[in-house]
Amino acid sequence: MVITGIGLVTPLGVGRQTTWAALCAGKSAAGPIKQFDARNWPVNFACEVPPFLLSPNAALKHQVPSLNRPNTFALEAAFEAMTDANLSGDDTGASDRLGISVGTGIGTIRPQDIVRILSGHDMNDGADKLAAFLEQGTSGSDLAAMNHPALLAALLAERWGADAYASTFTTACAASSQAVGYGMRAIVQDDADIVLSGGADSLAGELLLAGFCLLGVLSQRKNSPETASRPFDKKRDGLVAGEGAAMLVLEEREHALKRGAHIYAEIKGYGESENAYRITDLPEDGKGAIRSMSAALADAGLTPADIEHINAHGTSTEQNDRVEALAIEQVFYESGSAPVITASKSQIGHFVAAAGAVEAAIAVLSLVHQCVPPTLNLEEPLTGKTHTLRFATTCTKQPMRYVLSNSFGFGGTNASLIFGASHD
Amino acid sequence: MTDSVLISGVGVVSPLGRSMAEHLQGLWSKQHGFRRITTYDTTAAEIVYAGEVQDLTHIALPNRKLQKLLNRKDLLGIAAAHAALLDADMQSDGRNPDRHGVFIGSCSTQIGDFIPYFETAPACIGADGLSFDSNRFGRDCLNDINPLAAVKVLLNGCLAHVSQQFNIQGANTSVMDGEVSGLKALRMASNAIKRGELDWALVGAMTAPLDPFQMGQAKAKGLLAPQKGLACEELQDAVRPFDTAAIGTLLSEGAVFFVLESELSYQRRKAPKPAYARLLGMTESVCTGADKDAGMLKCLQKMRSHLSAGKYAPGLFITNNVGESNGDNFTAYQLMRVLAHFPAQIAVTNLSGQSGYLAEASGLLSLVHGMSMLDKRIALPVTNLRESSASAASLPLLKEPRDLAACQVLTANTNIFGQTALCAIEPL
């Protein structure tokens, strides 16, 4: 199973090359929120995607009015990935061998959208009047449709003629890693020859940002946004909201070779687990993360010693990083392996449902370039129980054959992907 | 690795009953599940009836403290999941939790779930009634919102709660693809078992559309049967799939969960009761081009090509359209294209007239109905079908109960995006 196309839309730029260059240059995308007036919010900064124009062929003409912010990112990333894989020609009509597998979130419903729905209703009236008002169904249908989690898969299927299958994963921060893992399996079980897989989300809009403010998981470093996301640093105080999309073209190896496609890397293994623990917390012993990474190793037929680099989930929250470091130490360092760890969220923030696919794409680019981008702001790294963990604090050149990417979702789903260097 | 996957436990929470036994009793005694809505105040509303699950307080939840964290869909899902585990006698099976999985086909969090966020914020709405002062909202109103509101809108809430409550730690996911979600979750779980990753998995789907916003959207789309002036008893024949007098449907809520298990696991644990059925096969397709009615046909062709020769012999097909003319016609057109792939004696039925529109959960519910009909050896007719509509006139729709020999039962769902999932089960 191989990867033949990559598309990225991130706060560091539109396009995989722009993003990769900024990652290696150690840039932070964090800054004051621009998409709404957040001056006096408890948290008023995020990593936002810069304004861009959707490529003319990224979406069908009739799709454009129905695109919300993350779906716009996704269609652009998909266009880049499909073009990269040389699959965007005019002769690529509907195919029963092309599938779609994406991770999505709750969309970007804005307060003014809710206000529009409620427009004309007096909020001082009772619940009976509100119910009667809403059931008139006079507004909001476009809002509901635009933000339905399944819409992205449908848009992509229609745009690219993907008639094999289309799946939408909604397991929060693990969603798009699951989308890639299940995309790989769809090819293995002969549901498709090619799967366009990835995810899109935005945590930087009012609604999700309000939710994360309420949960108390955002960094409070208002005066220094660029130093706020500091995964695995002892002075970390929470995550930084991000947004974006990543799409990968997964392909059966022989199929790719036959059509002369450029192969970035192999997708070697996928593992998943459930914490079965408190909905907002991780088990302190890291058992869910350990099982997920172990399952991916088993699926790939590899040992811990084979993994030279880990793109960690690394959210910059107190608990995630402590537990993930413990799990990595137990699976890898305890068995004598010492993979270099990095956390891309230090540069681009947390994309929630899109985080897994973005970090998987970065892990693949790390393999291609034999270079690990840095974890920013890592001044006092967490130490393992008995081992010193190796973090990349600068762009680190090193030979790598296999890399692992982690995603741990709010709600308990853990997913790990392993990629191998291409030999072609 | 195993090729044989069984349904060894079932949990149903529906408008017809809060257990599988209650649901099936209602089904076979020709009751309907429609009643006055109590989940919100309908005093001033036009839509006052729906398929509402009655009195959830009587449902045995493992942890009552959970209720404040749960939205309606998650509450329904946990109740059905608990029932399925009890039914399969899995409640005390604490061994190897990483060999047990959860696969959920969920409905989406609804726009209405976010309205509480903004009920605190009338001062942020501009004089024009449309603009919104985001800065003021963040400064003055956020602290008035219950932080649990953020947890309640999680798309994967049911998965998180079910895995936590029942200590299930293996392969898992939550998918959201409209009406195909339930069957899609079933397929993913079946594949995980066949790959040898799991001994068993909880598979479920739930839907909870009974809020005024969704009612309004359904009404605006013309999905709902008119209710004005009707008494509840008159809803008995309101939903009429494939009938020439079909005038729309009623929205319903509910959840259906299965314990899906490898035959090896089932035998090894010496399960105390017979399994319900064997999962024969499942396929998916998407129709993105002009040929929109081809989804079922493509699924059937895939299924036939995947099954070994002679293993494909369906005797009953259960459709999931709900008495709304566009959906009924679409299903009829799809069925017309697959008739050539059916044996001559196949029966086609639809029981939505009793349970209403259960969206994401409808595919799994049809499998429950199929298992019950196989058990009783009787195929139930299409509910409320007196005269077939023009589009359905040449379909082999059942108008009377018919004896049913042991046979394969098929069901299929198509969502508004053109995605279709097809599932076949067979008796053991």
Side-chain angles (χ1 to χ4, degrees), chain B residues 20 37 39 65 70 74 82 85 90 94 115 136 152 157 180 189 197 250 252 257 261 275 277 294 329 358 407 415-416:
Chain B
M20 181 170 64
I37 295 165
T39 49
K65 287 180 185 170
L70 298 174
D74 299 338
H82 190 211
L85 285 171
M90 291 293 193
I115 287 175
R136 187 170 179 179
K152 280 181 125 173
V180 302
E197 290 174 23
L250 279 88
S252 292
F257 268 70
E261 187 171 14
N329 289 339
L358 274 154
C407 67
N415 69 13
I416 57 165

Side-chain angles (χ1 to χ4, degrees), chain A residues 82 319 344:
Chain A
M82 292 294 275
Q319 191 184 42
S344 301

